[in-house]
Amino acid sequence: MSGTTLLINLAGAIALLLWGSHMISTALQRGFGTPLRNWMGRHLTNRWTALLAGIGITGILQSSTAVSMMATSFTAAGTLSLAPALAVMLGANIGSTLVVQLMSFNMEIAIPLLLLAGFGVFKLRDHSNFESVGCALIGLGLMLLALHMLSGTLADIEVTPVFHAVMQGLEGDVLIALLVAAILTLLCHSSVAIILLIASLAATGAMTPATALVLVLGANIGGALPPVLNAGSAVARRLPVGNLIVRLSGCALALLLLPLLTDIAQKSGLNTPQLVVWFHTAFSAVLALLFIGLTAPMARFLERLFPEEERVGDPGMPMYLDDAGLEVAYIGLSNSVRESLRAADMLTIMLDRLLVLFVTQEKQAADEIRQLDQSVDLLSAAVRAYLADIGQDGLNDADADRAQEILMFIINFEHAGDILSSNLTQLATRRARRGELFSDFELHNIRLLHAEILTSLRLGIAAFMREDLSAAHQLVQRKETIRQLEASASREHFKKLREDKNAWAESGDIFQRVLRDYRRVHHHIAAVAYPVIDRLGDKSLRFIDTSPDV
């Protein structure tokens, strides 16, 4: 077999190994990432629980990088403190070694069984979880098939002069071996695949135990680099940098003790491929034991090293829509929720400034409302575009429903902001240009409506954030309260106009339009409740009219 054919076979086997790993990780994240994320947010209360969670979740998702991104999103959002997140990463490093342990066994007979089982489960597409499990089983079968291909290809390669020259170049040069393994792992984004490749190379008998140990150390460093490079903010860098510091410290200690470790390895009776697998496991386990008690001081150090950045500039520019969320659905949805809540905060400020405008007729208040409306429009466009790109491998049903809720939330709040800026602000400034203040009666009713809308806004945020069915019920039912307030104020106002023959017709028309536009704002706020009610399967509000208020 020619050298070119051997290289093509080798590259194809490595590509299949990486693709199988990618299939397992993305399928399980898509099917079970959201419940795992929710469980992490509720139950990681101490470092030992976090360590075990990191081991278990990495064993399920088959990717310590995915767990790192998940934990990083929690720490950046403030829902998971940095100390337990560091413990999660210590556990994730151990979990990834268990995957290597499983894949190192000779399971050639399992390849067709896994592929057949995966295909059968995948065809049971009545539920998205079947599809995810089927893809994961197929991915596992492909990884085993790739390892079988690797062993056959490497058996042919080991007799070539070029292979021996390359392996001799690595022998005795610790720095080169370390860098080669680190760079390969960084490029492949999979320490599991590279460790398995190292074990396959070791099976050819072309490397000494010392070189094998150094390559394993390099793979551990390379596996910690992608989350650091993908972090989009100082806060997001804390956890991946902490994990990198732990691995670098462990590698430095292991290199100092390399002669001793090599001597222990030679006396252990393990062959070189077994040595690669067991040293990888032992390395992560020892790091976990050494650093589990240091997570709190490390967290304080990282918080000082990467202080939270002071946000400046246009509030309409997105702050949390990073690229990592486009690949992992639950991270992208969390990022979108955070940006949507910023839009809700800006809408609250617009409402406060609008009331000031009605009372004092300050021109500055009108300018602030218009600027905030532009920011809400800009942020809404960014969130909508981001949601369209999330989950390039598809969303499961729960995540798709949540994405729809986020989309409806941001669109309705954008429309509410448009009414505040284009309609209500314009009506208030028209009164001001005529030199007229709103009467005490008018301001009293405006304040009543204003207070009710702020209450509904808080209920809308609670229904959206906590998926609170009770808040959603109350929000929809409050539409009748707003309608009654508008009707009562309108009747009283017409009565006063009839009694006051000197009243200006246009003044009365402005107040009536204010009442109508406040109700329209409330309609858009109340609309965020319906996706929550529909998704949770509650039918008790079907009798309530859900048509747009006019």
Side-chain angles (χ1 to χ4, degrees):
M1 189 179 296
S2 68
T4 301
T5 304
L6 286 174
L7 287 177
I8 291 174
N9 288 341
L10 179 62
I14 294 173
L16 186 61
L17 181 66
L18 293 173
W19 180 248
S21 176
H22 174 76
M23 280 188 67
I24 296 172
S25 178
T26 54
L28 293 177
Q29 286 179 64
R30 183 169 63 247
F32 307 100
T34 297
L36 285 174
R37 177 199 64 184
N38 293 335
W39 184 89
M40 284 180 64
R42 290 193 301 267
H43 294 93
L44 297 188
T45 55
N46 62 69
R47 59 193 178 190
W48 292 106
T49 304
L51 178 72
L52 294 175
I55 295 174
I57 295 174
T58 305
I60 294 171
L61 296 182
Q62 306 280 294
S63 172
S64 60
T65 301
V67 176
S68 174
M69 293 172 66
M70 186 187 298
T72 298
S73 71
F74 275 122
T75 55
T79 55
L80 178 64
S81 59
L82 188 55
L86 288 167
V88 167
M89 288 312 304
L90 293 174
N93 296 335
I94 296 175
S96 67
T97 70
L98 300 181
V99 178
V100 175
Q101 289 278 359
L102 175 65
M103 301 296 295
S104 65
F105 290 104
N106 184 5
M107 296 187 294
E108 186 175 338
I109 187 60
I111 296 173
L113 296 177
L114 286 169
L115 293 174
L116 286 170
F119 178 76
V121 174
F122 181 82
K123 297 300 288 184
L124 300 174
R125 301 181 69 170
D126 295 336
H127 194 281
S128 61
N129 286 347
F130 283 111
E131 182 179 344
S132 299
V133 172
C135 285
L137 290 174
I138 293 173
L140 184 57
L142 292 179
M143 288 189 71
L144 292 175
L145 178 60
L147 290 174
H148 179 68
M149 292 173 59
L150 270 177
S151 62
T153 303
L154 290 172
D156 293 329
I157 289 178
E158 68 172 317
V159 298
T160 62
V162 174
F163 177 77
H164 285 281
V166 171
M167 298 310 299
Q168 288 174 3
L170 295 178
E171 289 295 334
D173 198 327
V174 172
L175 181 59
I176 293 297
L178 196 72
L179 287 176
V180 166
I183 292 171
L184 280 176
T185 309
L186 173 62
L187 293 175
C188 296
H189 279 59
S190 175
S191 60
V192 170
I194 298 304
I195 293 294
L196 291 172
L197 176 61
I198 294 170
S200 297
L201 288 171
T204 65
M207 69 172 66
T208 63
T211 301
L213 297 182
V214 173
L215 290 173
V216 170
L217 295 177
N220 274 272
I221 295 174
L225 291 175
V228 175
L229 300 177
N230 291 333
S233 65
V235 174
R237 291 189 192 98
R238 292 172 179 171
L239 180 60
V241 169
N243 182 46
L244 179 60
I245 291 173
V246 169
R247 293 205 196 186
L248 286 173
S249 302
C251 288
L253 180 61
L255 290 174
L256 289 174
L257 300 175
L258 187 60
L260 176 62
L261 293 174
T262 303
D263 186 52
I264 294 173
Q266 291 172 342
K267 294 178 181 179
S268 66
L270 297 173
N271 58 37
T272 311
Q274 291 174 331
L275 177 63
V276 168
V277 173
W278 283 106
F279 177 69
H280 182 49
T281 301
F283 178 76
S284 295
V286 170
L287 283 184
L289 291 175
L290 290 176
F291 284 92
I292 189 66
L294 301 175
T295 53
M298 274 193 68
R300 291 191 294 269
F301 168 73
L302 291 167
E303 286 167 355
R304 290 194 299 269
L305 185 62
F306 298 102
E308 190 163 358
E309 298 169 345
E310 195 172 325
R311 304 288 183 177
V312 295
D314 188 350
M317 295 300 295
M319 295 163 53
Y320 307 112
L321 304 183
D322 55 45
D323 291 340
L326 297 178
E327 298 180 4
V328 184
Y330 51 81
I331 295 178
L333 294 177
S334 298
N335 294 341
S336 301
V337 167
R338 296 175 72 188
E339 295 292 1
S340 299
L341 292 178
R342 291 184 60 224
D345 290 340
M346 285 188 274
L347 188 68
T348 303
I349 297 172
M350 290 172 69
L351 281 166
D352 291 341
R353 301 308 296 161
L354 180 64
L355 189 59
V356 170
L357 182 61
F358 279 129
V359 175
T360 65
Q361 298 184 344
E362 293 181 6
K363 185 179 182 301
Q364 182 181 356
D367 294 337
E368 290 177 8
I369 292 170
R370 294 189 181 98
Q371 290 170 1
L372 284 169
D373 180 53
Q374 292 175 0
S375 296
V376 170
D377 291 347
L378 182 63
L379 189 58
S380 174
V383 171
R384 295 198 306 272
Y386 190 76
L387 285 171
D389 292 335
I390 284 178
Q392 297 169 355
D393 297 311
L395 299 174
N396 61 29
D397 292 341
D399 287 340
D401 288 341
R402 186 56 171 164
Q404 183 65 22
E405 288 176 16
I406 298 169
L407 183 64
M408 295 303 297
F409 182 90
I410 195 69
I411 288 175
N412 276 290
F413 274 47
E414 179 186 0
H415 289 336
D418 291 340
I419 296 170
L420 292 176
S421 175
S422 302
N423 294 61
L424 287 166
T425 300
Q426 184 179 4
L427 293 172
T429 53
R430 184 186 298 177
R431 258 296 177 84
R433 284 197 298 268
R434 295 182 53 193
E436 293 185 13
L437 296 173
F438 284 89
S439 67
D440 292 340
F441 166 80
E442 291 171 331
L443 287 176
H444 172 71
N445 284 280
I446 287 172
R447 286 191 176 101
L448 287 177
L449 276 170
H450 197 92
E452 293 295 333
I453 285 177
L454 286 175
T455 300
S456 292
L457 180 61
R458 288 190 287 270
L459 285 171
I461 293 172
F464 172 70
M465 263 300 284
R466 303 199 303 267
E467 303 177 51
D468 189 332
L469 186 59
S470 174
H473 276 245
Q474 295 179 56
L475 182 55
V476 173
Q477 291 164 352
R478 286 176 59 80
K479 293 180 71 176
E480 179 61 19
T481 301
I482 297 297
R483 191 196 66 79
Q484 291 177 359
L485 279 175
E486 180 202 13
S488 174
S490 180
R491 285 195 302 269
E492 290 296 320
H493 188 253
F494 274 123
K495 181 179 178 181
K496 289 181 176 294
L497 287 178
R498 287 195 300 270
E499 292 172 355
D500 184 2
K501 304 300 182 181
N502 296 322
W504 286 42
E506 186 181 356
S507 300
D509 178 62
I510 287 177
F511 180 65
Q512 293 292 332
R513 292 172 66 182
V514 167
L515 296 177
R516 180 203 62 187
D517 287 338
Y518 259 117
R519 187 181 174 193
R520 290 174 60 206
V521 169
H522 186 270
H523 163 72
H524 288 295
I525 294 173
V528 305
Y530 294 112
V532 176
I533 294 170
D534 290 343
R535 184 163 63 86
L536 296 179
D538 192 281
K539 311 299 182 185
S540 61
L541 294 182
R542 282 188 169 181
F543 67 90
I544 295 178
D545 177 26
T546 61
S547 59
D549 294 330
V550 294

